[in-house]
Amino acid sequence: MADWLPASGIERSLWIIILAVAAGYLAGQWLNRQRSKRIGKWLQAGLGALGGQVSWKWLKSISAGAEITVREARAPFRDLVVSYFLLTREFAPLWLIERLRGKRDLLSVRAVLRDQPAAEFDIVPSAGQLRVALEAEAGSEARQWHELGAGLGLSTRLPPDRALIARAEAFVGTFGPYVERVSLRRRQPHVMAFLRITGIEARASEELWRALEKLVRT
């Protein structure tokens, strides 16, 4: 047997594990790099709808995601920070844990509006920890809930008017399957939105910006 070959079964098994982990890392990194490029192109294609001055930076690396800053955007927005975060595909066990915990590739939008919103609301899953957290935050002030479909509810401190309900229903009718949370509040950032990326890419990103703009106009 050649001197460089592992002498025992244990050593051979260890080498197989090491090679499998290395191959998995390289394959996962390649997959995330390609996915990151596709998402970046998808976002870039719709940024013209926001106007303003756009700058990009990678998060740690291209395979982790990116952050886009838009300054002096078109009304009702002023400044936005759009980020996307990818699952850890480089390490299969960690990727599996993230999947089992319900994590997915995520799009985050944080925006400052030109004018302070006249109302506040949250669109969150009708059942789950976010709803519990919102109700606990409200304390003795009971929150108002309106079911929107797609397993989501509109939460407000005061009874929502028909115009707000109509805007929320229109947004959820298009993007509901991807929504983890959308919030409008008086403190900055006024708009916070978190959406799952998988599937949403089938629509032009410009549609998302237009729909978000209509939703947060008050």
Side-chain angles (χ1 to χ4, degrees), residues 162-172 214-218:
R162 287 305 309 170
L164 172 56
I165 292 173
R167 294 199 307 272
E169 288 176 341
F171 184 86
V172 168
K214 292 178 182 177
L215 176 63
V216 302
R217 281 190 181 273
T218 58

Side-chain angles (χ1 to χ4, degrees), residues 38-53:
R38 288 195 300 273
I39 295 169
K41 288 180 180 178
W42 173 72
L43 289 169
Q44 179 66 45
L47 289 177
L50 295 173
Q53 303 165 3

Side-chain angles (χ1 to χ4, degrees), residues 118-178:
E120 295 184 311
F121 66 77
D122 294 276
I123 298 175
V124 299
S126 297
Q129 294 182 347
L130 275 177
R131 178 165 183 164
V132 172
L134 286 173
E135 291 180 339
E137 182 183 289
S140 59
E141 299 178 5
R143 294 187 70 96
Q144 307 291 318
W145 288 90
H146 179 85
E147 296 303 316
L148 298 171
L152 298 169
L154 172 68
S155 173
T156 58
R157 294 184 181 276
L158 300 174
D161 59 36
R162 287 305 309 170
L164 172 56
I165 292 173
R167 294 199 307 272
E169 288 176 341
F171 184 86
V172 168
T174 302
F175 294 102
Y178 318 109

Side-chain angles (χ1 to χ4, degrees), residues 2-210:
D3 292 339
W4 56 270
L5 291 175
S8 68
I10 293 176
E11 288 180 333
R12 286 192 292 272
S13 296
L14 286 174
W15 271 108
I16 290 171
I17 292 171
I18 290 170
L19 291 173
V21 169
Y25 177 85
L26 293 174
Q29 187 179 58
W30 181 84
L31 287 171
N32 260 16
R33 285 176 65 89
Q34 298 306 308
R35 180 146 177 74
S36 185
K37 290 177 182 178
R38 288 195 300 273
I39 295 169
K41 288 180 180 178
W42 173 72
L43 289 169
Q44 179 66 45
L47 289 177
L50 295 173
Q53 303 165 3
V54 179
S55 61
W56 287 70
K57 70 175 182 180
W58 299 116
L59 300 174
K60 296 182 181 178
S61 69
I62 186 174
S63 61
E67 179 181 283
I68 308 161
T69 302
V70 183
R71 300 294 184 195
E72 294 302 320
R74 237 174 241 133
F77 304 113
R78 186 175 71 204
D79 300 318
L80 300 95
V81 177
V82 180
S83 308
Y84 62 89
F85 309 90
L86 303 184
L87 295 179
T88 312
R89 292 178 175 84
E90 296 91 338
F91 188 51
L94 183 54
W95 171 82
L96 181 59
I97 291 171
E98 289 177 335
R99 293 279 299 183
L100 292 174
R101 289 179 175 176
K103 292 186 177 181
R104 298 293 184 269
D105 294 336
L106 188 70
L107 179 69
S108 162
V109 181
R110 292 176 170 84
V112 175
L113 301 179
R114 292 185 177 273
D115 299 307
Q116 188 181 64
E120 295 184 311
F121 66 77
D122 294 276
I123 298 175
V124 299
S126 297
Q129 294 182 347
L130 275 177
R131 178 165 183 164
V132 172
L134 286 173
E135 291 180 339
E137 182 183 289
S140 59
E141 299 178 5
R143 294 187 70 96
Q144 307 291 318
W145 288 90
H146 179 85
E147 296 303 316
L148 298 171
L152 298 169
L154 172 68
S155 173
T156 58
R157 294 184 181 276
L158 300 174
D161 59 36
R162 287 305 309 170
L164 172 56
I165 292 173
R167 294 199 307 272
E169 288 176 341
F171 184 86
V172 168
T174 302
F175 294 102
Y178 318 109
V179 170
E180 291 200 354
R181 179 174 185 172
V182 180
S183 299
L184 180 68
R185 54 192 190 173
R186 292 192 175 94
R187 66 185 184 277
Q188 297 185 8
H190 301 119
V191 180
M192 295 181 63
F194 302 93
L195 302 103
R196 294 181 292 277
I197 295 175
T198 302
I200 202 173
E201 307 141 289
R203 294 183 171 275
S205 60
E206 182 176 350
E207 289 185 47
L208 175 60
W209 310 134
R210 299 293 189 196

